[in-house]
Amino acid sequence: MTSLMLALAITASQILLGLAMACAAFRMLRGPRAQDRVLGLDTLYLTAMLLLLTYGIQTGRTLYFEAALVIALLGFVGTVALGKFLMRGEVIE
Amino acid sequence: MIQAPDLPTWAAIIIALLVLGGSILTLVGALGLIRLPTFYARVHATTLGATAGMAAILLASMLCFSVLQTRPVVHEILIALFVTLTTPVTLILLARAAIYRDRSENAAQVPDAQGAKAEG
Amino acid sequence: MKRFVPFPLLALALFAMWILLTGFSPGHVLLGALVALIVSRSMLSLQVEPPRVRIGWAVVRLSGIVLADIVRSNIAVAKIILVNPPDRHSDFIELPTQLRSPYALAVLALIITATPGSLWVQHDANRHVILIHVLDLVDEAEWTELIRDRYERLLMEIFE
């Protein structure tokens, strides 16, 4: 009984996180300016990381945790590079 | 895709509440990304999922694996540390890039640099 | 000791991270200690000024205050997004600051940005003024007071 309730709660939260990713993707595709798109991408990868963590809880496997860590690190580097590009027009000076 | 680990009732209830609360907060933050009118206002919305949403889901994950393996699991603290340290840095950088672009186009509602070169 | 491990806090953090990611075994303890020593020594070639951090009661109090503020402003910003009050006024404000240490300023920037509702934009090193963007601006003087009394005093205790 409690297992079913937990399963429903986790599935519901996965749907909510999926909706959040759709909102972020909307902002990324719509713009209107380049910084809005980068902000959308930033939110998108953060939400994807949270979604992976809920999969980890659901299956009880630690594999998803490692994937979430990698997304968090690579997403940070990517957004910093994009932010720098917006400011100077080049990534490595 | 409906499945869940076998947990004692108290842990299942706490985990369900944490996961639901965290994802609702993240969704509200992402909604703000659509609803708020200007770029500088939208930056505030992203922090919602990156602080409270992240903390709630990581706490749930910590609790879940601690109960399953019957020993405290602290790996999630690493993700929490990375995210809390890196998200503000990316947001500050984005805000600086945005204000730089707005100033170079002489946009309204943006304060000017007041002569001195700023250091962030 | 100081010559052997120039940045003890950094070395300790690297070592703890290595153990957390790989698992606890004698081999990894040795490897992690080696990595921590070599990587923290490589910071020497960057010639950073080692921070003077006083770890004490002030650190605990600051973390508590920041946690409480993050929870409170999360609720406030969520309310603003859902209700979208028409009289909401968001704007940039300039605040004078007494902090001089770059480490204290960096921590203040992280705190202000991590709290939903306020965003650090830039710091003017010549005039000692910081520019922040506030989502729901009611009273400018209130923000000046809040930053000075809540964060700056504790940050000065820790870093200066």
Side-chain angles (χ1 to χ4, degrees):
Chain A
M1 183 57 209
T2 51
S3 180
L4 180 69
M5 177 210 65
L6 181 58
L8 284 177
I10 290 177
T11 310
S13 70
Q14 280 166 351
I15 294 171
L16 291 178
L17 286 175
L19 283 175
M21 282 175 78
C23 294
F26 172 83
R27 186 47 73 195
M28 191 174 86
L29 295 173
R30 248 323 185 38
R33 303 202 57 203
Q35 54 262 40
D36 289 293
R37 292 176 204 268
V38 179
L39 187 66
L41 178 70
D42 195 72
T43 318
L44 189 67
Y45 86 73
L46 260 173
T47 320
M49 190 199 81
L50 294 181
L51 189 59
L52 272 180
L53 284 174
T54 62
Y55 275 115
I57 298 175
Q58 194 176 39
T59 55
R61 277 193 219 148
T62 48
L63 176 74
Y64 292 103
F65 167 82
E66 322 262 331
L69 195 62
V70 171
I71 289 191
L73 283 179
L74 289 187
F76 165 65
V77 177
T79 318
V80 166
L82 282 170
K84 199 135 173 42
F85 178 74
L86 287 185
M87 212 139 128
R88 308 248 191 246
E90 54 189 316
V91 177
I92 299 168
E93 291 170 40
Chain B
M1 218 34 218
I2 289 197
Q3 66 173 76
D6 273 324
L7 292 168
T9 311
W10 62 271
I13 290 175
I14 295 176
I15 289 174
L17 286 180
L18 278 176
V19 167
L20 267 182
S23 50
I24 288 173
L25 261 177
T26 311
L27 179 62
V28 169
L31 268 181
L33 218 52
I34 290 185
R35 284 179 61 124
L36 292 176
T38 64
F39 170 78
Y40 299 104
R42 284 183 208 126
V43 177
H44 299 292
T46 303
T47 4
L48 223 61
T51 55
M54 184 261 316
I57 291 179
L58 281 176
L59 269 180
S61 171
M62 266 168 97
L63 184 64
C64 173
F65 286 109
S66 298
V67 172
L68 275 181
Q69 302 183 353
T70 61
R71 67 185 170 87
V73 176
V74 285
H75 283 76
E76 277 81 355
I77 292 177
L78 269 185
I79 289 195
L81 256 180
F82 280 142
V83 172
T84 42
L85 286 185
T86 56
T87 312
V89 175
T90 53
L91 293 181
I92 291 170
L93 206 75
L94 262 184
R96 284 176 58 79
I99 205 166
Y100 173 79
R101 285 162 66 95
D102 280 346
R103 271 177 192 154
S104 62
E105 289 163 14
N106 290 320
Q109 307 149 340
V110 174
D112 56 353
Q114 267 124 10
K117 189 181 182 312
E119 212 64 57
Chain C
M1 184 67 195
K2 193 78 189 169
R3 267 181 58 193
F4 193 57
V5 189
F7 299 95
L9 268 179
L10 177 69
L12 193 70
L14 279 170
F15 179 69
M17 205 174 85
W18 188 276
I19 294 299
L20 275 179
L21 280 176
T22 54
F24 189 86
S25 68
H28 276 307
V29 169
L30 202 66
L31 202 56
L34 209 66
V35 167
L37 281 182
I38 292 172
V39 173
S40 65
R41 277 195 77 82
S42 72
M43 282 289 282
L44 276 180
S45 60
L46 289 178
Q47 296 185 332
V48 290
E49 177 195 346
R52 284 182 299 279
V53 186
R54 268 193 290 281
I55 297 175
W57 187 231
V59 179
V60 180
R61 267 187 55 206
L62 186 66
S63 337
I65 287 178
V66 170
L67 270 183
D69 280 359
I70 285 181
V71 170
R72 243 197 359 214
S73 54
N74 258 296
I75 298 169
V77 172
K79 231 182 258 169
I80 287 176
I81 291 173
L82 290 176
V83 179
N84 205 0
D87 56 342
R88 181 180 62 86
H89 173 67
S90 65
D91 206 353
F92 295 91
I93 52 175
E94 283 197 322
L95 306 175
T97 177
Q98 288 148 14
L99 295 176
R100 297 293 180 267
S101 150
Y103 297 101
L105 281 166
V107 174
L108 184 64
L110 287 188
I111 293 174
I112 288 180
T113 311
T115 319
S118 57
L119 169 70
W120 173 285
V121 181
Q122 72 174 29
H123 167 238
D124 191 328
N126 294 328
R127 295 187 302 140
H128 299 295
V129 163
I130 56 179
L131 180 69
I132 68 177
H133 182 264
V134 180
L135 184 61
D136 191 10
L137 185 62
V138 182
D139 183 10
E140 230 174 277
E142 198 183 317
W143 273 91
T144 315
E145 234 167 77
L146 185 113
I147 303 274
R148 193 182 55 215
D149 295 347
R150 265 180 106 81
Y151 305 127
E152 272 190 1
R153 217 157 29 81
L154 284 171
L155 281 172
M156 281 171 107
E157 246 176 74
I158 297 173
F159 285 102
E160 285 172 16

